[in-house]
Amino acid sequence: MNRSYWHRQEDKPLFPELLWSRPENRLAAGKLFIIGGNVHHFTTVAESYQIAMDTGLGTARVLLPDALQKTVGKVFEAGDFVSSTPSGSFARQALAPILDASVWADAILIAGDLGRNAETAILLESLLQRTNLPMVISQDAINYITATPQAVKERSNTTLVLSLSQLQHLTKTIKFTQAVTFSMGTAQLVDWLHAFTTEYPIYIVTEHLNTILVACNGDVSTTKLKQEMPIWRTTIAAKASVWWLQNKQKPFAALTTAVVSDQE
């Protein structure tokens, strides 16, 4: 079978020109808006911020629910705070300041640690509908997407960094004709991702059989991990955000390069 859409990233990067042409100073290295956290969890957001800066990002702003202000406000200077629900998640009223801040940014990372809250679900859906910025979504933020996928089904500039089980759930709620199974081999999953991203404009990054798969507009790349990555979704989502905002016209190349850059 001729799988011209399958691009294997093995001993060498598939897109070395992206590695060679990175911005030389932070002023030209882009602005990332990171959203996440709830009163009980903040670690993923802090890790995402540090990974993005270490990846060569120019500037980042981090938005957190104000329920965290007393605990992290003095130790995390990059954070700004907006309205939270009584349970400590993002409230619907946070939408206006988030949209205002998004005008400043080149891309948005929904890092996770959002918790489970109906208001946060409404907020995220509204944000997806109100901005066309490149947006990377990962960790428990994916659960909001898989529950109500209408907001991303037809939205361009959306990358989901998700586990295979989350992808399976997304498939069911979207009612895609082909199912995802854990028994799939790499080639079968490549074929599935090709079909899915040909039909929908969503970009997918997932992991299966110690391999990271990136799918974008029908093209699929595979990168075998050289070592175990316990927080692969957090790491790759942050790196993908940076590479993508620095190469907006080349999403497939950018997302694929973000994977291999983590293996250097």
Side-chain angles (χ1 to χ4, degrees):
M1 181 177 180
N2 179 22
R3 294 184 172 96
S4 59
Y5 47 82
W6 185 357
H7 309 270
R8 297 168 176 83
Q9 186 164 242
E10 296 173 343
D11 296 331
K12 296 181 180 180
L14 276 171
F15 304 98
E17 68 278 8
L18 266 64
L19 292 167
W20 301 333
S21 60
R22 303 210 67 191
E24 294 184 358
N25 63 71
R26 290 200 179 271
L27 291 176
K31 297 172 288 187
L32 179 64
F33 187 23
I34 302 173
I35 300 171
N38 70 78
V39 69
H40 301 294
H41 298 286
F42 167 68
T43 304
T44 297
V45 181
E47 289 173 342
S48 297
Y49 170 80
Q50 192 58 58
I51 292 166
M53 297 305 296
D54 291 345
T55 301
L57 178 67
T59 310
R61 290 180 62 183
V62 180
L63 204 65
L64 305 160
D66 58 15
L68 279 166
Q69 190 160 7
K70 288 183 179 179
T71 55
V72 306
K74 295 181 179 179
V75 298
F76 189 68
E77 296 180 355
D80 293 320
F81 300 89
V82 294
S83 299
S84 59
T85 64
S87 61
S89 299
F90 285 99
R92 282 181 290 180
Q93 292 87 338
L95 179 62
I98 288 175
L99 290 173
D100 288 343
S102 69
V103 175
W104 164 87
D106 296 309
I108 298 173
L109 169 60
I110 311 294
D113 282 348
L114 297 181
R116 297 177 63 183
N117 189 278
E119 285 198 43
T120 307
I122 294 169
L123 171 71
L124 183 55
E125 185 174 6
S126 298
L127 180 61
L128 284 160
Q129 294 169 343
R130 298 279 293 276
T131 176
N132 291 321
L133 280 174
M135 190 180 299
V136 178
I137 306 172
S138 190
Q139 293 289 358
D140 66 350
I142 294 291
N143 299 334
Y144 289 99
I145 301 302
T146 56
T148 55
Q150 291 78 9
V152 298
K153 246 172 54 169
E154 306 300 332
R155 185 187 190 273
S156 59
N157 283 336
T158 308
T159 296
L160 305 183
V161 180
L162 71 178
S163 67
L164 200 66
S165 61
Q166 289 175 321
L167 182 59
Q168 191 175 58
H169 190 191
L170 177 67
T171 303
K172 290 178 182 177
T173 54
I174 285 183
K175 297 181 180 179
F176 189 56
T177 54
Q178 303 176 44
V180 173
T181 67
F182 286 90
S183 62
M184 282 180 165
T186 300
Q188 290 174 299
L189 186 54
V190 166
D191 292 342
W192 187 94
L193 288 166
H194 165 70
F196 184 83
T197 59
T198 297
E199 181 164 344
Y200 296 106
I202 307 168
Y203 306 155
I204 298 290
V205 182
T206 193
E207 187 272 340
H208 186 50
L209 300 176
N210 203 39
T211 298
I212 301 294
L213 299 96
V214 173
C216 179
N217 299 325
D219 284 312
V220 184
S221 68
T222 54
T223 307
K224 196 78 173 177
L225 291 174
K226 296 179 181 178
Q227 57 192 15
E228 186 178 351
M229 292 175 60
I231 58 167
W232 76 266
R233 287 178 296 170
T234 297
T235 300
I236 291 181
K239 287 179 171 286
S241 301
V242 177
W243 281 97
W244 188 14
L245 70 83
Q246 292 176 352
N247 301 274
K248 286 186 179 179
Q249 304 306 314
K250 302 175 180 179
F252 180 65
L255 299 174
T256 297
T257 303
V259 179
V260 76
S261 75
D262 190 68
Q263 300 294 296
E264 294 174 344

